[in-house]
Amino acid sequence: MASLSRLDRVRLQQFLDRLSESSPGDFSSHVPAPEILRDWSQKIGSLGSQEDHDRLQRENELLRDVSNRLALGLDTEQLSERIMDALGALVRHDAAGLYLVRNGRIIWETLRGYDTENMHLVKSKLDRGLMAWSGMQRCSVRLGDVLDDGRYLNVRNQTRSELVVPILLEGQLMGFFNLEADQVEAFSPDDQYLVEVFAGQVALAIERSNLLQERMQRRQADQEMEVARSIQRDHFPEDNLSIGDLHIAGTYLTNKQVGGDYYDFFRLDMHRVLVTIADVTGKGVPAALIMTSVRTGVHLLTDQDSDLPGMVKRLNRYLSEITETNVFVTLFCGIYDTRDASFTFVNAGHNPPLVLQQDGSTRMLVDGGLLLGSFPGVSYEQGQTTIAPGESVLFYTDGISEALDAKEEEYGDARLLKSFQRHGGKEPARLLMCLLNDLQDFVGNSALASQTGDDLTLVVMHRARKEEA
Amino acid sequence: MTINERKEGDVLILSLKGNIMGGPDADTFYNKVKEELDGGCRKIVLDLSGVKLMNSSGLGILIKTFKPVKEAGGDFFLANVSEKIDSLFMITKLYTVFTAFDTVDKALEAFQA
């Protein structure tokens, strides 16, 4: 059974320790590993099949250890510097390059020993020269005298021998080692073999580093998304609002961290409150970005005169400028005035809010104009109604009416209306809860927003009866 | 979504089948109309009899396709709009810019008038 001598083990350990400690640029010093590996390689080269098996096992252990040390939380730059240090320790050379490639292009190179003025030539090695050949053939190539071989691309005048080894992972080309030396026949078959085995481990190390970086990027993206979610949550009113005998509550659910629905209610002055609900085409981040613009527009364009059609017209023009034609926003906004219980509104292509009347029937708030963001020149008209004592108004986005049950049947406007009629008249926050409970009963056990695949928004406004107030 | 096309005189009739939900299908549809528009066609009927579902992204692509036709001085009529899609056009008030007919023949008649 092949085994390393105690001395070899000590020297090997020194090599590994040196490898893990070596810093970028620590290239010229020579650690004893190549001799160990060479000796070892020669020793096991003559052994039989059991020995071959043991050799492979030992080799794997050795190089797995190298690989572990290489890939420990390093980014591409640190990793490639460490790899080049290890390569310098493994096989003597006068110049070398580590090239990482993806889709036939060099995406990274770490070079040592080349003149800076020839760097542009070095970069053309992937298209011409030995590297091109090696990449095509998926095998390494060793030239004893570069002047004898037409495939050699001269980027370094003093080079006389060259070794190119592809870095392959499951047959996929990940990069190359390119080693150059000033003497002829500088690289032996053992050197070639060692760099080939090393390249196999480097492939794993690079893959691991790539996966690690992807994971870190994903984690960072998740963290950023969490910040975005928190910012968006701050865009919604924190509390329910009461002004005079009017009480308002809203809720928003999304199956992503951010979404394209928006609702808002805020006081314009002592007597008036603005209520808005809007839905942006699509979901996720793109919709959320537009939703932020909608909110900004509503807040900035709503002035004391409260000319709603003018505000919506300006908002439409603005959204038409900043969105693609196929992206649009449906929006409803209205101003309730406690002095006369009037509710003036503009409905820009949004699901009409429902007013539940005392006798259980409903009326819809339709007046307004086209959806926003696609037709910049259009005008809007204003509707007006009076909210009688005891009446409730339901504002919603289509995520509610289009929610599906297990049989993929839609909840639909009719069920929503019935639910509203059943619970209408309750205090808004409680009414919202009842509406959501009915919807939950319909869609089954799944989480509401994930079941619908859309954002869900509900706002309820209720004018108290005299005895309630 | 699949698109079938035929010509009746100078009117291009595009029949859509399946769901209009945005995505790559939407680009195919938009590019088809754009190509016809560049080729000089100004009269288009969109037969929606085979369309089961249309979401807001699908609606967005109809708007995107409709606009260049109108801007080129052409017309883009809808035909055979299902009740559900009809309601979507009603809610969004898109009927203030789109014109719909019960059948393709009625849309063709409107072009003759």
Side-chain angles (χ1 to χ4, degrees), chain A residues 147-390:
Chain A
L147 301 181
D148 288 345
D149 198 296
R151 292 170 298 179
Y152 175 66
L153 178 70
N154 183 7
V155 298
R156 189 173 171 278
N157 285 332
Q158 57 273 48
T159 292
R160 284 297 167 266
S161 48
E162 185 170 16
L163 174 61
V164 174
V165 175
I167 300 168
L168 300 166
L169 187 69
E170 293 173 351
Q172 192 192 336
L173 184 66
M174 301 184 76
F176 297 94
F177 282 121
N178 184 48
L179 287 76
E180 304 190 24
D182 299 348
Q183 297 80 39
V184 291
E185 302 293 351
F187 303 111
S188 67
D190 276 355
D191 292 333
Q192 186 173 1
Y193 168 75
L194 278 172
V195 178
E196 280 173 2
V197 177
F198 183 59
Q201 297 305 311
V202 164
L204 289 172
I206 292 168
E207 179 70 358
R208 190 154 30 157
S209 168
N210 288 345
L211 291 174
L212 191 71
Q213 284 179 50
E214 273 172 29
R215 199 163 59 198
M216 282 164 65
Q217 282 164 358
R218 261 204 310 273
R219 192 178 301 159
Q220 190 180 354
D222 286 348
Q223 283 168 351
E224 286 173 2
M225 192 57 86
E226 187 52 32
V227 173
R229 191 194 70 81
S230 162
I231 291 171
Q232 189 173 49
R233 288 280 159 184
D234 289 344
H235 285 170
F236 292 97
E238 213 168 277
D239 299 311
N240 304 332
L241 178 80
S242 293
I243 177 167
D245 55 2
L246 192 84
H247 307 284
I248 312 174
T251 188
Y252 165 68
L253 301 170
T254 177
N255 69 334
K256 295 186 185 292
Q257 280 166 301
V258 293
D261 277 8
Y262 164 59
Y263 77 87
D264 210 345
F265 38 79
F266 55 90
R267 285 168 188 260
L268 293 172
D269 53 36
M270 276 177 64
H271 310 288
R272 297 177 309 156
V273 60
L274 179 84
V275 183
T276 308
I277 187 164
D279 186 353
V280 179
T281 330
K283 297 187 253 310
V285 173
L289 288 171
I290 296 167
M291 172 271 195
T292 303
S293 298
V294 173
R295 180 184 184 274
T296 307
V298 168
H299 278 253
L300 291 180
L301 296 172
T302 306
D303 52 28
Q304 287 302 307
D305 300 337
S306 308
D307 165 27
L308 281 182
M311 184 274 269
V312 174
K313 185 176 180 172
R314 288 195 292 277
L315 184 61
N316 176 47
R317 197 163 49 217
Y318 171 64
L319 290 172
S320 300
E321 280 169 16
I322 63 161
T323 61
E324 296 279 326
T325 316
N326 59 325
V327 175
F328 60 83
V329 179
T330 67
L331 173 138
F332 178 97
C333 58
I335 295 172
Y336 178 80
D337 192 325
T338 55
R339 288 168 294 195
D340 56 3
S342 64
F343 191 51
T344 51
F345 59 87
V346 172
N347 184 340
H350 195 80
N351 294 73
L354 302 166
V355 183
L356 183 61
Q357 302 169 146
Q358 289 284 37
D359 63 358
S361 63
T362 54
R363 61 182 189 277
M364 295 197 291
L365 308 181
V366 176
D367 298 339
L370 258 175
L371 45 74
L372 307 177
S374 296
F375 301 92
V378 296
S379 293
Y380 294 84
E381 61 181 46
Q382 179 171 286
Q384 182 156 5
T385 188
T386 302
I387 307 298

Side-chain angles (χ1 to χ4, degrees), chain A residues 11-26:
Chain A
R11 292 168 68 201
L12 187 59
Q13 193 56 52
Q14 284 172 347
F15 166 68
L16 292 172
D17 291 345
R18 183 64 185 274
L19 198 58
S20 62
E21 288 163 8
S22 61
S23 58
D26 186 14

